[in-house]
């Protein structure tokens, strides 16, 4: 049985692939990318049908962050020409959220720059959550406020938050190269705090920061071990004025392989295409819907996305449908306490498992899929596609939704 058939079978059983199998997905050639998409698409459709969940971002506070995350336009010392404003009032945030909900979003993600919230900030966000839910009883609300202190996750849950997002972003081994003002362990701790408080954990990664295939596999295996319900996959937007402005490492085919690898490793979780899809997937975005079952509608935190109407047309034209408010996103077994995503079945969590049947350093791969023998060519810099957000939250202009 070849590699892709093996991965499909494992995905349908929620069995963890070996590290070598995950690496082999990333190493497949562009000639085989449609085969990879078709295989991972079988897993996606098995667990999520043809539904696409829409999420909408509201940037509650933009810029002026004291952390030094190299990828971020809001970082300490950033020279990116982004919007900068302090906290939106609850009614302003609720009004911003309403635009996304009117466009079909099922979840609103409330994000604020900074190391982490003060207790006063938690009060402020709690008031915002209540304001949004007073107007839209069925909406899911996810908070993303940075590192949490003891008790803060519980307070957000009591206020009506359904989920908490805090991304691992990259592998533990290279995290210190990206950020120095907090640690990888700090991030893991916050995801665990959210999970323990009864919030749906949301944690993902950023691809395209110059990481190796091994780094990508490391972080995705670590995410599987943490067992979040949703895994957002961001593709680096190289903002001018940030340390990673020259990192153009992604092609549409590379992005598809990364999404497929995430789907195979985390078969039954909500895989979300997050920031950077317009910049790096470009006209291949519809293909990516065969791998991910969730996207952000409209704009992002500090960058503009494609028009919300275009997102909806893309979903329909690709043969998918927007997930309704009354539909349950996750498979039934994940809604049962303690069921998890199978992170500790047969193969174990595998976060630092041995290489398995071959090494990535030119060794053999278990399967018939052809792998690339040479380094991928650098992607073309598409700075024309990096548009700074100038509308929506923090402005007087109508949002994109």
């Amino acid at each position: 049985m070849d590699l892709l058939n093996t991965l499909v079978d494992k995905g349908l059983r929620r069995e963890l692939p070996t590290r070598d199998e995950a690496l082999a997905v990333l190493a497949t050639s562009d000639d085989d990318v449609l085969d990879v998409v078709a295989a991972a698409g079988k897993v996606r459709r098995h667990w999520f049908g043809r539904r696409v969940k829409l999420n909408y971002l509201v940037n509650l506070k933009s810029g002026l962050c004291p952390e030094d995350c190299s990828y971020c336009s809001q970082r300490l010392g950033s020279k990116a020409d982004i919007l900068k404003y302090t906290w939106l009032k609850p009614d302003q945030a609720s009004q911003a959220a309403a635009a996304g909900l009117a466009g079909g979003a099922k979840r609103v993600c409330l994000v604020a720059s900074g190391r982490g919230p003060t207790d006063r900030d938690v009060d402020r966000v709690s008031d915002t959550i209540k304001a949004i839910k007073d107007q839209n009883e069925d909406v899911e609300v996810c908070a993303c406020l940075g590192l949490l202190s003891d008790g803060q996750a519980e307070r957000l849950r009591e206020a009506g938050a359904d989920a908490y997002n805090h991304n691992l972003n990259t592998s533990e081994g290279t995290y210190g190269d990206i950020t120095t003002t907090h640690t990888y362990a700090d991030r893991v701790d916050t995801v665990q705090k959210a999970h323990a408080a009864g919030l749906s954990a949301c944690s993902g990664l950023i691809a395209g920061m110059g990481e190796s295939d091994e780094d990508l596999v490391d972080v995705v295996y670590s995410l599987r071990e943490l067992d979040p319900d949703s895994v957002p996959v961001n593709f680096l937007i190289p903002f001018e004025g940030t340390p990673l402005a020259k990192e153009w490492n992604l092609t549409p085919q590379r992005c598809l392989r990364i999404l497929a690898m995430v789907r195979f490793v985390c078969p039954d979780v909500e895989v979300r295409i997050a920031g950077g899809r317009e910049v790096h997937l470009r006209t291949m975005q519809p293909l990516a819907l065969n791998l991910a079952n969730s996207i952000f509608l409209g704009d992002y935190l500090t960058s503009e996305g494609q028009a919300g109407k275009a997102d909806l047309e893309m979903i329909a034209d690709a043969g998918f449908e927007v997930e309704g408010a009354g539909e349950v996103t996750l498979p039934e077994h994940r809604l049962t306490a303690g069921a998890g995503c199978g992170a500790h079945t047969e193969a174990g969590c595998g976060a630092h498992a041995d290489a398995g049947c071959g090494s990535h350093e030119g060794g053999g791969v278990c399967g018939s899929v052809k792998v690339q023998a040479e380094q991928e060519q650098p992607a073309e810099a598409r700075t024309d596609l990096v548009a700074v957000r100038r509308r929506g939250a923090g402005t007087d202009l109508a949002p994109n939704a």
Side-chain angles (χ1 to χ4, degrees):
M1 181 178 292
D2 66 18
L3 171 70
L4 295 179
N5 286 336
T6 298
L7 288 170
V8 170
D9 288 345
K10 287 187 174 183
L12 301 185
R13 298 196 304 267
R14 295 186 291 132
E15 182 182 334
L16 185 68
T18 67
R19 283 181 57 84
D20 245 23
E21 289 167 343
L23 287 166
V25 173
L26 297 178
T28 51
S29 73
D30 287 351
D31 290 341
D32 292 312
V33 73
L34 290 179
D35 293 332
V36 173
V37 170
K42 292 179 182 178
V43 179
R44 180 252 200 265
R45 289 191 299 276
H46 177 81
W47 296 113
F48 298 97
R50 303 193 71 82
R51 294 174 285 118
V52 178
K53 182 176 180 177
L54 299 182
N55 308 267
Y56 190 70
L57 284 166
V58 178
N59 199 1
L60 297 176
K61 180 169 73 77
S62 184
L64 308 175
C65 182
E67 302 297 287
D68 69 353
C69 306
S70 299
Y71 52 81
C72 186
S73 61
Q74 305 184 73
R75 73 187 296 271
L76 178 69
S78 171
K79 294 180 172 55
D81 185 25
I82 62 169
L83 290 170
K84 298 180 178 68
Y85 53 86
T86 190
W87 289 94
L88 297 181
K89 295 179 180 178
D91 62 328
Q92 294 173 314
S94 179
Q95 185 176 2
L101 295 172
K106 183 174 179 177
R107 171 176 286 192
V108 172
C109 304
L110 303 175
V111 188
S113 62
R115 178 178 178 84
T118 64
D119 286 342
R120 182 184 177 189
D121 293 337
V122 172
D123 289 339
R124 194 191 323 257
V125 175
S126 296
D127 290 342
T128 298
I129 294 169
K130 291 171 183 173
I132 292 172
K133 291 212 165 187
D134 281 347
Q135 299 297 319
N136 305 274
E137 184 178 354
D138 296 330
V139 67
E140 297 176 13
V141 176
C142 178
C144 177
L145 312 174
L147 302 173
L148 292 175
S149 301
D150 289 345
Q152 290 183 330
E154 287 79 4
R155 290 175 58 198
L156 290 168
R157 184 76 182 97
E158 290 169 5
D162 300 283
Y164 195 84
N165 166 262
H166 200 60
N167 296 329
L168 297 187
N169 289 330
T170 192
S171 68
E172 183 175 11
T174 59
Y175 194 83
D177 297 332
I178 299 299
T179 304
T180 66
T181 47
H182 61 266
T183 67
Y184 180 91
D186 291 332
R187 287 188 169 266
V188 170
D189 178 68
T190 285
V191 177
Q192 291 172 335
K193 279 185 168 71
H195 197 84
L199 292 167
S200 176
C202 173
S203 188
L205 65 142
I206 304 173
M209 297 190 290
E211 70 282 338
S212 66
D213 285 1
E214 287 83 355
D215 290 322
L216 285 170
V217 170
D218 279 350
V219 68
V220 176
Y221 274 59
S222 294
L223 286 166
R224 166 130 177 181
E225 187 174 13
L226 274 177
D227 196 23
D229 289 323
S230 55
V231 175
V233 180
N234 296 276
F235 301 110
L236 176 71
I237 302 177
F239 275 97
E240 290 296 329
T242 65
L244 299 184
K246 305 303 180 187
E247 294 286 344
W248 289 88
N249 304 304
L250 298 171
T251 65
Q253 293 82 6
R254 171 76 168 166
C255 294
L256 291 171
R257 285 190 286 268
I258 291 168
L259 287 167
M261 185 270 288
V262 175
R263 175 56 71 197
F264 285 131
V265 176
C266 301
D268 60 340
V269 307
E270 178 188 341
V271 176
R272 184 180 310 131
I273 316 173
R277 66 177 162 92
E278 297 88 346
V279 177
H280 297 293
L281 278 162
R282 301 192 288 276
T283 59
M284 304 283 269
Q285 290 180 67
L287 268 183
L289 296 177
N290 290 279
L291 307 169
N293 62 297
S294 180
I295 66 170
F296 280 110
L297 177 72
D299 293 336
Y300 303 96
L301 298 176
T302 61
S303 66
E304 294 186 352
Q306 70 183 19
K309 183 174 183 290
D311 286 338
L312 298 177
E313 290 176 347
M314 175 182 72
I315 291 168
D317 289 348
F320 293 88
E321 59 187 27
V322 173
E323 184 173 289
E327 295 181 279
V328 178
T329 301
L330 296 172
E332 186 176 355
H333 66 267
R334 287 197 62 86
L335 304 178
T336 304
C341 67
H344 300 287
T345 57
E346 297 180 25
C349 71
H352 299 285
D354 292 334
C357 65
S359 77
H360 189 59
E361 300 296 330
V365 176
C366 299
S368 61
V369 176
K370 179 174 58 182
V371 299
Q372 293 175 308
E374 299 178 1
Q375 185 73 21
E376 271 194 80
Q377 293 298 310
E380 177 189 359
R382 290 298 306 271
T383 55
D384 59 306
L385 296 178
V386 180
V388 174
R389 182 172 69 83
R390 302 296 186 199
R391 59 196 176 196
T395 77
D396 294 327
L397 299 178
N400 171 27

